[in-house]
Amino acid sequence: MKLRPLSKLYFSVVCLAYVMNSLLIPPNKKVLVQYHISSTSARLLSASILIPVILIWIAAFYGASKLYLYSKKIVHGSDGIKTMYIARGLFMLALGLPTVGLINALYADGVNSHPQLLSSSVVVADYITLIVPLFAFLFIGYGSRSLVEQIKVKTSHVTTYFIVLISSMLSVIYTYLVFKSGSYKSIYHLRALPLLLTIIIPYVFMWFIGILAVTDSYIYSLKVRGVIYRSAWRRLSMGIGLVVFGYIALQYLTTLSNKLTKLKLGPLVLLIYVFLLGIASGYIIIATATKKLQKIEEI
């Protein structure tokens, strides 16, 4: 069974467009001054960053594709539809990485050329960046919860309290960081109430769904029948966890972007790599777990 050509084509076109944009568009003069580098150095740095970033996106696409193709093979089984929901969510996230990267790059280029579009461009880019993972997390959450309900296992009170505690901490810290500087209007170009209702609350809700999905997939891996099957699903839940928490970390990075600009270029790039590598590692683990599940189906 093969992946739909349209998905591969879309992924390839978006990645190519991102590469062309990064290499052909002149560097931002403010960035050159801030980091004390020449235009040539900026292009070389951009090229050096492009290679690992594209490889990370390919790893994510590969891992999501493997799980999606596996879910299509078992779609008529008891856990087939549930697994497909998870696979679709992870696939949306994998496609979202280059999509959001390209959108942000085009947004930066547009603002540099037409400063008057800054406000509307920021708002549109923020909402697109939010919508893609929000729907993806809903798919992953629904699939994981359905698997747990299938084996009729109830989440313990301790686990529930832990999820609520982690989600509450993330919510409070995130809200505090957004409003702390007092310059949120210049960053998000939204008033406090619309920012709270349409950006902060959806992200907080998304993270709760993601944490719950990771917990549910892990519970399923502990309770499902079959030693080898449990082992594969345990690995799969670990991969899902890395992807979910990687996305949460990236959003925190976005929130702190105005503070991170004060860092030197090296630490800033390294920080971005750490989170992206975490997401890529999660997808690689998902791919290896999927191979293990496929071998079980072939027996």
Side-chain angles (χ1 to χ4, degrees):
M1 189 176 293
K2 296 182 179 181
L3 197 65
R4 291 180 180 177
L6 186 61
S7 300
K8 292 182 179 180
L9 178 63
Y10 174 81
F11 179 79
S12 302
V13 169
V14 173
C15 288
L16 180 61
Y18 181 82
V19 171
M20 297 298 291
N21 179 83
S22 300
L23 296 179
L24 298 180
I25 300 298
N28 189 323
K29 293 181 179 179
K30 292 182 179 179
V31 175
L32 298 180
V33 173
Q34 179 179 350
Y35 293 108
H36 307 288
I37 56 177
S38 65
S39 179
T40 303
S41 299
R43 289 186 183 279
L44 290 173
L45 178 64
S46 179
S48 66
I49 293 174
L50 276 175
I51 296 174
V53 166
I54 294 299
L55 289 176
I56 287 169
W57 289 349
I58 291 173
F61 185 81
Y62 173 77
S65 300
K66 284 291 183 183
L67 183 61
Y68 180 73
L69 292 175
Y70 167 74
S71 68
K72 290 183 73 174
K73 287 183 178 179
I74 63 166
V75 69
H76 297 297
S78 59
D79 56 352
I81 293 295
K82 292 91 170 177
T83 304
M84 180 168 281
Y85 272 104
I86 297 175
R88 283 175 176 171
L90 290 169
F91 200 70
M92 288 176 65
L93 288 177
L95 290 176
L97 282 172
T99 302
V100 171
L102 178 60
I103 288 171
N104 288 332
L106 293 175
Y107 143 73
D109 297 335
V111 170
N112 291 334
S113 305
H114 306 282
Q116 69 274 15
L117 298 178
L118 175 63
S119 180
S120 58
S121 299
V122 169
V123 173
V124 171
D126 283 343
Y127 284 134
I128 293 176
T129 304
L130 166 67
I131 289 171
V132 174
L134 176 59
F135 278 98
F137 274 45
L138 287 172
F139 273 103
I140 297 170
Y142 178 79
S144 301
R145 172 53 53 170
S146 298
L147 287 172
V148 171
E149 291 176 348
Q150 176 182 294
I151 57 176
K152 299 178 181 179
V153 174
K154 292 184 178 180
T155 307
S156 67
H157 291 298
V158 174
T159 302
T160 302
Y161 295 153
F162 178 76
I163 294 172
V164 172
L165 175 64
I166 296 298
S167 300
S168 300
M169 289 175 59
L170 287 173
S171 305
V172 172
I173 294 172
Y174 178 62
T175 306
Y176 171 75
L177 290 173
V178 169
F179 289 112
K180 178 187 176 183
S181 64
S183 59
Y184 61 88
K185 289 183 180 179
S186 63
I187 297 173
Y188 294 93
H189 295 267
L190 289 171
R191 294 180 181 275
L193 186 59
L195 176 60
L196 180 66
L197 294 177
T198 64
I199 297 292
I200 295 177
I201 290 178
Y203 269 118
V204 169
F205 171 71
M206 180 202 313
W207 297 339
F208 174 77
I209 294 296
I211 295 170
L212 184 62
V214 174
T215 306
D216 284 339
S217 63
Y218 181 70
I219 291 173
Y220 180 74
S221 73
L222 295 177
K223 303 297 182 180
V224 71
R225 294 180 179 179
V227 176
I228 302 177
Y229 197 67
R230 281 200 299 269
S231 174
W233 262 97
R234 195 173 300 121
R235 182 184 292 267
L236 187 60
S237 68
M238 183 171 67
I240 294 172
L242 282 171
V243 172
V244 167
F245 284 106
Y247 265 87
I248 293 175
L250 275 177
Q251 186 52 41
Y252 267 83
L253 186 66
T254 303
T255 304
L256 294 170
S257 60
N258 60 322
K259 298 180 178 62
L260 290 172
T261 54
K262 299 176 182 178
L263 290 177
K264 292 183 178 180
L265 193 57
L268 180 57
V269 173
L270 180 62
L271 193 59
I272 294 172
Y273 274 159
V274 168
F275 295 136
L276 286 175
L277 284 172
I279 295 174
S281 300
Y283 276 108
I284 294 298
I285 292 173
I286 288 169
T288 59
T290 302
K291 285 184 178 180
K292 199 170 184 179
L293 289 170
Q294 286 174 335
K295 289 181 180 179
I296 297 172
E297 294 297 325
E298 292 170 0
I299 296 176

